[in-house]
Amino acid sequence: MGRVKQAAASLGRYSLLLADVVRDIARHGVSVREVVKQIVWIGNNSLPIVLLTAVFTGMVLALQTAYGLHRFGAKNYVGNLVGLALAKELGPVLTAVMVCGRVGAGIAAEIASMTVTEQVDAIRSLGGDPVRRLITPRIIAGLLSMPLLSGVAVITGVLGGMAVAVMELGISAHQYYRSYLYAVQIFDVVEGLIKSLCFGLIVVSIACYKGLQCRGGTEGVGLTTTSAVVTGSLAVFIANFFLTKLLILFKFA
């Protein structure tokens, strides 16, 4: 029972933090300079690991689906399955998990270090707003960066699948491309972008929240960083289910 109360209290504080961010944006707008700085850090620096993950995911998908479909004489449908899986699920989810592991940990560690060394309290004592200085630019940057990273991941994964289809499976690039276009519709792409937008908010906001709640000196910073990555990754998987359910209901409404 105590853990349930603690979880409910933590969820309430997290909701209040998001409300403070919305209020800050409504009152003061957005600092473009800070947002661009965070976009470079979140988006540009995460690009190599996202691309590497996406290309090998696409290649493995192509191999597995091809040999699975070969038993039914449907190997030519590799492009359909790879495209749909990457556009709707694997592209947004894997990108969010990679960003959570790299960027989420960095954000949590940075803000946690400022919290335990009382730099956040110093900002308040000087009349500043820690939410405006530390939280809002990062969340806006996450919202903008994640869909772009996800889109690049989907394209890279599809190209990786095409490379395997051409070199290993004897499927022509044109045939793979046509099957991809036949299966993937505009709503599938929009669905993936909507998910990645929500994942960007989840990953960055949880990392910021965990950093602000850090206690216990340098040991607390390490625990906070681990907690931010684990909680953010779990939240992405949980949110993915509910977002998928909502988008399916909307599609067939």
Side-chain angles (χ1 to χ4, degrees):
M1 192 66 182
R3 290 187 175 181
V4 174
K5 290 183 178 179
Q6 185 178 2
S10 180
L11 182 61
R13 290 191 295 269
Y14 174 71
S15 301
L16 290 175
L17 176 63
L18 293 180
D20 289 339
V21 171
V22 173
R23 192 178 303 113
D24 174 58
I25 295 173
R27 290 180 178 177
H28 305 104
V30 178
S31 174
V32 177
R33 181 177 180 181
E34 284 297 318
V35 169
V36 171
K37 178 181 176 182
Q38 293 301 324
I39 287 175
V40 172
W41 190 67
I42 294 174
N44 187 59
N45 294 341
S46 300
L47 195 57
I49 189 172
V50 168
L51 291 177
L52 194 63
T53 302
V55 69
F56 280 100
T57 299
M59 293 168 73
V60 169
L61 266 178
L63 279 174
Q64 292 283 19
T65 55
Y67 288 111
L69 294 173
H70 180 70
R71 292 176 293 176
F72 307 100
K75 189 172 69 172
N76 293 333
Y77 292 96
V78 170
N80 304 50
L81 296 177
V82 171
L84 283 174
L86 286 169
K88 300 179 69 171
E89 294 295 333
L90 292 180
V93 172
L94 289 178
T95 299
V97 172
M98 290 298 102
V99 172
C100 184
R102 187 198 177 283
V103 174
I107 291 175
E110 181 180 357
I111 297 179
S113 299
M114 296 180 69
T115 300
V116 298
T117 56
E118 300 181 350
Q119 295 182 51
V120 175
D121 293 332
I123 293 175
R124 292 193 182 98
S125 66
L126 293 173
D129 184 3
V131 172
R132 177 160 181 78
R133 293 283 302 275
L134 303 175
I135 311 301
T136 301
R138 287 175 168 83
I139 289 181
I140 297 297
L143 287 170
L144 296 175
S145 299
M146 195 71 78
L148 296 175
L149 287 172
S150 178
V152 172
V154 170
I155 295 172
T156 305
V158 170
L159 292 176
M162 179 184 290
V164 169
V166 172
M167 293 186 292
E168 296 286 339
L169 306 175
I171 301 173
S172 68
H174 177 74
Q175 193 173 17
Y176 179 92
Y177 175 70
R178 293 298 302 175
S179 65
Y180 171 79
L181 290 183
Y182 178 78
V184 179
Q185 301 175 356
I186 187 64
F187 185 82
D188 300 322
V189 178
V190 172
E191 180 179 341
L193 293 177
I194 291 173
K195 286 184 178 182
S196 61
L197 188 72
C198 296
F199 295 159
L201 173 64
I202 290 170
V203 168
V204 178
S205 61
I206 287 178
C208 292
Y209 168 75
K210 291 291 186 179
L212 289 175
Q213 297 298 314
C214 179
R215 301 292 183 272
T218 54
E219 182 181 357
V221 174
L223 294 174
T224 295
T225 303
T226 302
S227 177
V229 174
V230 173
T231 305
S233 299
L234 288 176
V236 165
F237 289 118
I238 294 171
N240 183 51
F241 171 78
F242 290 104
L243 285 170
T244 301
K245 187 69 175 178
L246 288 174
L247 289 168
I248 289 175
L249 290 175
F250 175 79
K251 182 177 181 180
F252 294 101

